[in-house]
Amino acid sequence: MNPSPTSMVYLIGADLTLGEALQGLLKSVGLPTLACPDIEAFLAVYRPDKPACLLLNAEVSGGGNALGLQQCLREQGIDAPVIIIADHADVAMAVTALRQGALDFLEKPFNEQLLLDGVHQALTMDVTRCRARAQCDDLRRRFDTLTAREQDVLHWVVQGLSNREIAETLNLSRKTVEVHRAKVMHKMAADTLSQLVRMAVAIGILKLYEAET
């Protein structure tokens, strides 16, 4: 993968020597980096709309460790790929980190090419994540343009009801349902019913409706 001009590699909790070495290595292949001494500094500058890779020092400054930081990141909805760098091998910690979602766990001194390969893999994964998130945000914006009645009709359309059944359920005429349904398709930019259902699934609308019924 060629480095994207919008991508960023965050170095979190790395000591000065390691941080300078990593920044030099990553910048040598055109990857922009940003050093953050602790999680507070990272959260202040993190851009969720930009593809990213997080390089975490196993012992993060400011109290705590990489495993605790992973938990904190998940709680705040940050799902950018994580690579952990440790001073010494710790099998239990490595297993826990990988179970919590870390992409890789490297012991110092690490192979530079393996690190670069991991970072490029992480950024490739996050490009996909950012694209999917942008698409979901766009679908939510479209959904928010629907009127309350149009949302009601969408509710029953994605449940598989026919226009006649929807009309009976909402106490409307079949013609009125057809008009609302056409507006739903137009506003959501859906060409087919299956496409509309996939949109509802993508942004969690179908799951929400199922929980309410």
Side-chain angles (χ1 to χ4, degrees):
M1 171 189 135
N2 293 323
S4 166
T6 63
S7 64
M8 179 64 67
V9 180
Y10 296 91
L11 313 178
I12 305 176
D15 59 50
L16 182 61
T17 301
L18 176 61
E20 290 179 347
L22 288 173
Q23 284 187 303
L25 173 64
L26 295 166
K27 288 182 178 179
S28 72
V29 293
L31 291 171
T33 64
L34 190 59
C36 305
D38 50 41
I39 185 171
E40 288 77 16
F42 164 71
L43 293 174
V45 297
Y46 176 60
R47 290 280 304 278
D49 58 323
K50 301 176 77 172
C53 170
L54 313 185
L55 293 182
L56 310 185
N57 192 24
E59 292 298 328
V60 182
S61 61
N65 54 46
L67 299 182
L69 178 54
Q70 279 186 278
Q71 177 67 28
C72 180
L73 293 173
R74 287 200 308 275
E75 290 173 353
Q76 301 205 35
I78 297 174
D79 53 0
V82 170
I83 296 175
I84 295 177
I85 299 175
D87 290 323
H88 305 288
D90 184 327
V91 175
M93 181 179 182
V95 170
T96 301
L98 295 173
R99 284 180 174 174
Q100 288 186 356
L103 181 64
D104 206 349
F105 189 100
L106 302 176
E107 180 190 6
K108 293 187 288 185
F110 50 80
N111 181 289
E112 292 185 350
Q113 189 57 54
L114 286 179
L115 175 66
L116 291 175
D117 289 346
V119 169
H120 278 92
Q121 180 186 358
L123 292 174
T124 299
M125 291 170 56
D126 214 39
V127 165
T128 301
R129 179 191 65 83
C130 287
R131 185 180 296 119
R133 176 170 292 175
Q135 291 172 343
C136 283
D137 288 344
D138 181 54
L139 289 176
R140 290 190 182 96
R141 283 192 290 270
R142 296 183 209 174
F143 177 76
D144 289 340
T145 67
L146 302 180
T147 66
R149 180 58 77 192
E150 288 165 355
Q151 289 183 9
D152 288 339
V153 170
L154 173 58
H155 176 171
W156 295 113
V157 166
V158 298
Q159 294 293 331
L161 272 64
S162 66
N163 288 346
R164 177 184 58 78
E165 291 169 327
I166 295 173
E168 293 174 354
T169 300
L170 298 179
N171 195 28
L172 299 172
S173 70
R174 183 169 177 174
K175 180 63 176 178
T176 299
V177 170
E178 291 173 353
V179 171
H180 285 314
R181 182 166 178 165
K183 289 182 178 179
V184 168
M185 298 292 286
H186 174 71
K187 291 182 179 181
M188 294 297 295
D191 296 321
T192 64
L193 173 60
S194 60
Q195 188 177 27
L196 183 66
V197 172
R198 286 196 296 272
M199 290 177 177
V201 171
I203 57 180
I205 293 173
L206 184 56
K207 183 180 295 185
L208 175 62
Y209 287 151
E210 289 174 342
E212 293 176 345
T213 57

